[in-house]
Amino acid sequence: MPATWLLRFASPERHEKDKAMITKIKTGLLVLALAVGAGASAAGAQPAPRTIHVDIHGFQFVPAHVDAHVADTIEWTNKDFAPHTASDAGGKWTTAPLNNGAIDRVVVKTPGTFAYRCNFHPHMKGTIVVTGNVAQSPKP
Amino acid sequence: MTNFKKTLLAAAALLAGSTAAYAQSGLNDLQIAHSAYTADVIDINYAKIALGKTHDPEVKRFAQLMIQDHTAVNEGAGALLKKLGVSAQDNAFSQALNKGAAAENAKLRSLSGRAFDREYARNELAYHKQVNSIVGDTWIPAVQNAEVKEFLAQALVTFRVHEEHAGHMVAALR
């Protein structure tokens, strides 16, 4: 069973520790506790969860915009030499620092539009648009 | 003219602060790899000086980023050379880079406070601009091995981001 890792803001002070952690979580799932929506509507038929791949290449998220459904997994792979993150600009969630070739994942659980960036190179920006009903267990 | 003579000429031009003769560098792939590695190490060392001197959080953050990114690029270079089963070759150009860096290191060590921050930022912008020009205009077109060429292209993307970042830092410290 993959490990579940609580979200936290990767401050520069934590970076070295985070780098050491990265190998432990390469295969782990990050559970993304995004802002809780207006409330769950009656559960309808949900499409099967899927994994959406985002490459980090040339200091860009590719694709920079993804459309996801509640319970989908977003998977980032860093193909740059420079380490990157995919992180909420407000510090609510982040992947681990991703070295070259490293992968991290987030399961989206709440509908909405979520802008993110690389904490190390903040000009790198991406957006996740999540549709569907709030997952039954919105917290990690 | 031999490649070695061309290299010496380019090194002399670098010491004189000119980029005009870079296109004549005449370095082979392994010498270019060594020079790129050297350029990375030089910037890491500038950053280490900065971390010991600056009190500006933005300058500190930039210096940490330089250590992180340039170390990662050099790890990539090392992995590629290992995969190719070759070793980088020291050369006159790398040595000229180191001589130039020694002078700048001495200058940085002599400064403190805002004067240090401004000189560090100025040099980071100038250094990245200079190295990026060499990598983009001379080394990438000259390199024969496709994987080394691809490596340099990716490194150049990193260094151009740094150049832009350094430009912002210079402006913020005025």
Side-chain angles (χ1 to χ4, degrees), chain A residues 15 58-59 79-83 120-121 123, chain B residues 65 68-69 72-73 76 151 154 157-158 161:
Chain A
H15 183 216
F59 284 68
K79 297 190 171 179
D80 279 345
F81 290 119
F120 303 133
H121 312 95
H123 71 283
Chain B
L65 189 67
Q68 173 183 285
D69 286 358
V73 168
F151 164 79
Q154 190 178 139
V157 173
T158 307
V161 169

Side-chain angles (χ1 to χ4, degrees), chain B residues 31-70:
Chain B
Q31 290 168 331
I32 286 174
H34 192 281
S35 296
Y37 181 89
T38 301
D40 273 336
V41 170
I42 286 169
D43 204 51
I44 290 168
N45 289 335
Y46 289 150
K48 287 178 178 173
I49 294 172
L51 289 180
K53 280 191 169 263
T54 189
H55 300 290
D56 185 303
E58 287 304 318
V59 174
K60 187 168 285 190
R61 194 167 293 126
F62 181 89
Q64 287 168 335
L65 189 67
M66 292 307 101
I67 292 172
Q68 173 183 285
D69 286 358
H70 285 285

Side-chain angles (χ1 to χ4, degrees), chain B residues 3-13 25 92-93:
Chain B
N3 281 349
F4 183 68
K5 282 182 180 173
K6 288 177 183 175
T7 300
L8 287 179
L9 276 179
S25 63
F93 195 86

Side-chain angles (χ1 to χ4, degrees), chain A residues 5-54:
Chain A
W5 201 46
L6 293 180
L7 290 167
R8 83 284 176 280
F9 181 61
S11 66
E13 290 74 21
R14 286 193 57 102
H15 183 216
E16 288 307 313
K17 189 175 178 182
D18 288 341
K19 285 169 77 173
M21 290 277 293
I22 193 166
T23 53
K24 297 180 183 174
I25 64 166
K26 272 184 181 175
T27 57
L29 283 180
L30 265 178
V31 177
L32 174 56
L34 299 172
V36 176
S41 58
Q46 300 276 355
R50 62 192 177 123
T51 297
I52 300 168
H53 301 277
V54 178

